Amino acid sequence: MKRLITTLAILLVVVVSGMTALVVLVDPNDFRAWMAGQVEQRSGYKLALDGDLRWHVWPQLSILSGKMTLTAPGALQPVVSAENMRLDVNLLPLLSHQLVVKQVMLKGAVVRLTPDSDPQRPADAPVFPQDQRNPDRIDDITRGWKFDIAHLRVADSLVIWQQADGEQWNLRDFNLRLDQDEPRLASMELKTRIARDQRELALQLNSELDISNYPQRLAATISQLNYQLTGVDVPAQGIAGTMAMAASWNNQKQNFSLTNLTLSVNDSQLKGSLSGTLGNRPRLFAELQADTLDLDALTGLSTVADSSASLPASVVKPPVIADAAEHPGVPFSLTGLDSEVDLHSQHLRWRGMDISDLTLKALSEDGVAHLNTFSGQVGRGTFSLPTTLDMTRMPLHLSVSPVLQGIALAPLLKTFELPESLQGELTLNGKFTGDGLSIADFKQRWTGTAAFSLANAEFNGLNFLQIIQRNLERHSDKIGADAQSDSAVVQQVSGQATLNNGRANFASLAGRSPRIHYTGVGEIDLLKRQLDLTFNVSVPEGWHGDAELIARLQQTPLPLRVYGPWSAVNYNLSVDRVLRDELKTRLKDWMERQKNAR
């Protein structure tokens, strides 16, 4: 036990003596010019250290510096600037004239990734062949000194990122932990937040980096990326989730690839791959599959219970700005991005409507997107919505050619914030154009025509047969309706409709069931929430009583007008004409019979 204590004491004395001798005998400022020279020789960047360098011996032997900057050749601004820097170094290599930097620590730094901080080639600089310029082929041993960085720490810093002619993004509270356990292989932990346009995106990343071919190529395996988006135009609970993938970047071709992608967004999940190229005209290729996509949760719209509601209450609205655009477009510009998207979702929820087996194949070029395939299934019905979307205009301009087969009408009316007064299975073939994507835009700025039919149709609260029967029974006691006919259901409705900036005009309507036939014309005002429709209704069956009156009723359509606001629909039915005509006919017949009488 005494020998162990003695040995430990000797080691402690040696360490303390060595560190004391190092602090007393070795001036860290002697390394200033050497470090700046090594950085410039290896990368071409200029390292500037202001103030004196000083030792820090506990808990780690370190060199502390004052303000430092790192500037690319010809750059107008430094890439990195910090008020202080700490270099954790190994003790033993210093005794043999080797500087091994275990860790570089920057706190409160500003990292600029902007055009002003990029290297600038002088106008008269010679151009070398690509294969003769390989900055990676620089020996680690230079002038008898070894320079190596195993760990990098950046704490409480700011990263400014901006592409040429692009918008500037600020990454605040930037915290980075980069460990190089093997040469050119590193693990990274990143935590930061991005605030822009009254929105904040928080990120936390764990990744493994392969920089063996850097700067030509960079590969990474992101084991976990946590994110959360909050702010205006975002649901109150925010948009949060996780992501994992394998990523690669080719600097020479300016292309990237994201494979084995798994993404969760609130209650939605996506998987697949992304790839693309950057540059003056970025291009994106996406192939994605989803088990569940809940767009209502992402937009903060859980239900569409109130048809008068224009925005989901759970979404935080931005403040009103006097000079805001009259027709706001998408929150970010897509005109500068070309893309090809192939998406398949087993289940999608949009404005309370459940859609299954959704398939989307889209191509976007020069700000115009073509949704060549946009199809799916709603209940027992199917839909196809080939769409052209012009994003070069504000508001966005769309051309849609919908083809619906057996879609339940009531949920569709609810989705478009219309009264659910009509039920049935809708089949439609049409063509529409309009400006804007919202329901309000559809009601105000869309035009088009459609041919439609409605199977198993039923008007809630409006029974044509009952209206006619009760009016006739009030005007005459010679005719009555069969009891079983009071609950008649219209089986089939068809017609032609034209939509013109909030007004739906029906040039023709036809309905038929075993007990009632009708035709009609009219208009529905989607903005004023009013309707005015006129029908000619025939009731061929379901009567008892006067045979001659029943025969005339079967041959004469009755004019029925339905009008007024949706909340209080009125109707006007004129049966007097039928009764007057029947009375005139009977009087005429009686007079003919009385010609030869006295």
Side-chain angles (χ1 to χ4, degrees):
M1 189 65 180
K2 290 183 178 180
R3 292 183 179 180
L4 178 59
I5 295 176
T6 303
T7 303
L8 293 176
I10 294 173
L11 290 176
L12 179 62
V13 171
V14 170
V15 171
V16 173
S17 300
M19 296 180 66
T20 303
L22 183 64
V23 172
V24 174
L25 301 176
V26 179
D27 187 358
N29 291 283
D30 295 340
F31 301 135
R32 181 196 304 272
W34 177 85
M35 287 189 293
Q38 289 295 304
V39 171
E40 185 170 6
Q41 181 181 358
R42 289 172 174 271
S43 62
Y45 285 64
K46 294 183 179 180
L47 175 65
L49 301 173
D50 296 339
D52 292 335
L53 303 180
R54 59 192 185 278
W55 289 112
H56 183 74
V57 298
W58 183 261
Q60 167 69 42
L61 181 60
S62 306
I63 298 176
L64 302 181
S65 74
K67 183 177 180 180
M68 61 81 60
T69 58
L70 184 65
T71 309
L76 300 178
Q77 291 184 330
V79 178
V80 181
S81 60
E83 293 299 324
N84 56 75
M85 177 177 67
R86 190 185 80 194
L87 304 177
D88 296 339
V89 300
N90 289 333
L91 173 62
L92 295 180
L94 285 174
L95 303 178
S96 59
H97 300 284
Q98 291 182 344
L99 178 61
V100 177
V101 180
K102 294 197 306 182
Q103 176 174 283
V104 176
M105 175 68 181
L106 299 175
K107 188 171 183 179
V110 178
V111 181
R112 291 182 175 86
L113 305 176
T114 65
D116 290 340
S117 64
D118 288 341
Q120 303 295 325
R121 179 186 295 275
D124 56 350
V127 178
F128 294 95
Q130 184 69 24
D131 57 355
Q132 294 183 12
R133 300 176 64 234
N134 188 355
D136 295 331
R137 299 179 62 182
I138 299 178
D139 295 334
D140 286 335
I141 306 298
T142 305
R143 298 180 186 177
W145 292 83
K146 183 178 180 181
F147 184 79
D148 188 18
I149 300 177
H151 306 281
L152 174 64
R153 303 287 185 271
V154 180
D156 302 331
S157 299
L158 169 67
V159 175
I160 303 174
W161 179 71
Q162 180 184 17
Q163 287 188 318
D165 300 327
E167 298 181 349
Q168 179 176 297
W169 296 82
N170 296 332
L171 282 69
R172 304 184 183 278
D173 296 337
F174 186 84
N175 291 272
L176 173 67
R177 178 187 180 99
L178 187 63
D179 298 323
Q180 187 177 191
D181 300 325
E182 299 181 17
R184 300 283 182 170
L185 297 177
S187 59
M188 181 177 68
E189 295 181 7
L190 172 65
K191 186 177 181 181
T192 187
R193 61 182 182 88
I194 305 172
R196 186 175 182 84
D197 298 333
Q198 302 183 60
R199 303 183 188 93
E200 182 175 286
L201 175 63
L203 297 173
Q204 187 172 357
L205 169 70
N206 292 328
S207 175
E208 302 291 331
L209 297 177
D210 182 359
I211 55 175
S212 57
N213 295 316
Y214 182 82
Q216 285 76 22
R217 290 181 178 84
L218 178 65
T221 300
I222 299 177
S223 57
Q224 186 175 13
L225 171 62
N226 300 328
Y227 65 91
Q228 183 175 20
L229 177 64
T230 57
V232 300
D233 289 335
V234 176
Q237 72 274 17
I239 298 176
T242 62
M243 181 171 62
M245 62 183 173
S248 63
W249 165 255
N250 188 314
N251 191 45
Q252 183 177 1
K253 297 181 179 180
Q254 291 286 292
N255 61 21
F256 68 91
S257 175
L258 309 179
T259 59
N260 298 327
L261 174 66
T262 59
L263 172 66
S264 67
V265 185
N266 290 358
D267 295 330
S268 304
Q269 300 86 31
L270 278 169
K271 60 182 179 180
S273 62
L274 295 174
S275 62
T277 58
L278 300 182
N280 295 330
R281 190 70 188 179
R283 191 169 186 87
L284 174 68
F285 303 89
E287 185 175 354
L288 302 170
Q289 300 85 37
D291 294 331
T292 301
L293 283 179
D294 191 343
L295 299 185
D296 289 353
L298 297 181
T299 58
L301 184 64
S302 57
T303 59
V304 193
D306 184 4
S307 61
S308 64
S310 58
L311 283 175
S314 58
V315 174
V316 181
K317 298 181 183 180
V320 177
I321 302 176
D323 59 351
E326 181 183 359
H327 307 303
V330 291
F332 53 89
S333 176
L334 295 176
T335 58
L337 174 67
D338 295 338
S339 61
E340 293 184 25
V341 177
D342 189 344
L343 171 65
H344 181 76
S345 176
Q346 294 292 337
H347 177 260
L348 181 140
R349 187 172 182 82
W350 176 66
R351 299 188 67 86
M353 181 181 297
D354 292 321
I355 302 172
S356 59
D357 198 21
L358 176 72
T359 299
L360 172 64
K361 294 183 179 180
L363 174 66
S364 173
E365 290 184 346
D366 299 325
V368 179
H370 300 277
L371 281 64
N372 299 319
T373 301
F374 185 19
S375 60
Q377 183 172 348
V378 179
R380 295 179 297 177
T382 61
F383 70 88
S384 176
L385 302 175
T387 303
T388 299
L389 177 62
D390 187 353
M391 297 174 287
T392 62
R393 300 168 51 177
M394 285 298 158
L396 307 178
H397 184 74
L398 294 92
S399 298
V400 186
S401 300
V403 177
L404 310 182
Q405 294 287 341
I407 298 292
L409 181 60
L412 191 63
L413 293 174
K414 182 178 180 180
T415 296
F416 283 88
E417 299 177 359
L418 299 174
E420 303 171 58
S421 58
L422 183 60
Q423 297 182 11
E425 298 170 358
L426 176 65
T427 296
L428 180 144
N429 195 326
K431 186 173 183 179
F432 297 91
T433 60
D435 296 328
L437 290 169
S438 68
I439 300 299
D441 291 330
F442 171 77
K443 294 179 179 179
Q444 300 179 39
R445 306 183 183 95
W446 281 61
T447 61
T449 59
F452 66 90
S453 63
L454 191 62
N456 301 320
E458 182 178 0
F459 293 88
N460 295 334
L462 186 63
N463 190 316
F464 288 180
L465 188 58
Q466 282 186 356
I467 293 174
I468 294 172
Q469 290 173 345
R470 291 174 181 175
N471 275 269
L472 284 172
E473 290 173 351
R474 284 198 300 266
H475 286 79
S476 175
D477 57 359
K478 295 183 178 182
I479 190 172
D482 297 340
Q484 65 269 21
S485 64
D486 291 346
S487 59
V489 176
V490 176
Q491 295 295 323
Q492 183 73 24
V493 179
S494 62
Q496 298 280 340
T498 300
L499 178 64
N500 186 13
N501 298 326
R503 292 179 178 269
N505 296 290
F506 296 90
S508 64
L509 282 172
R512 178 176 293 272
S513 79
R515 297 186 180 275
I516 185 171
H517 305 160
Y518 66 85
T519 60
V521 295
E523 179 183 89
I524 297 178
D525 194 322
L526 303 179
L527 298 178
K528 295 181 180 180
R529 305 171 66 82
Q530 294 180 348
L531 59 85
D532 191 347
L533 300 171
T534 301
F535 301 95
N536 290 320
V537 186
S538 299
V539 185
E541 298 180 9
W543 303 106
H544 62 268
D546 191 307
E548 293 184 6
L549 183 58
I550 292 176
R552 178 167 295 278
L553 186 63
Q554 291 173 338
Q555 298 172 2
T556 306
L558 298 176
L560 172 64
R561 182 189 176 199
V562 181
Y563 63 96
W566 296 346
S567 57
V569 176
N570 302 309
Y571 71 89
N572 184 9
L573 175 65
S574 177
V575 297
D576 295 341
R577 181 169 59 86
V578 176
L579 297 177
R580 284 196 303 267
D581 291 344
E582 178 62 20
L583 178 60
K584 290 178 181 179
T585 300
R586 294 193 178 191
L587 286 172
K588 183 178 180 180
D589 294 341
W590 180 82
M591 292 176 66
E592 289 292 334
R593 291 194 301 268
Q594 300 300 320
K595 282 183 178 181
N596 299 324
R598 295 178 56 182

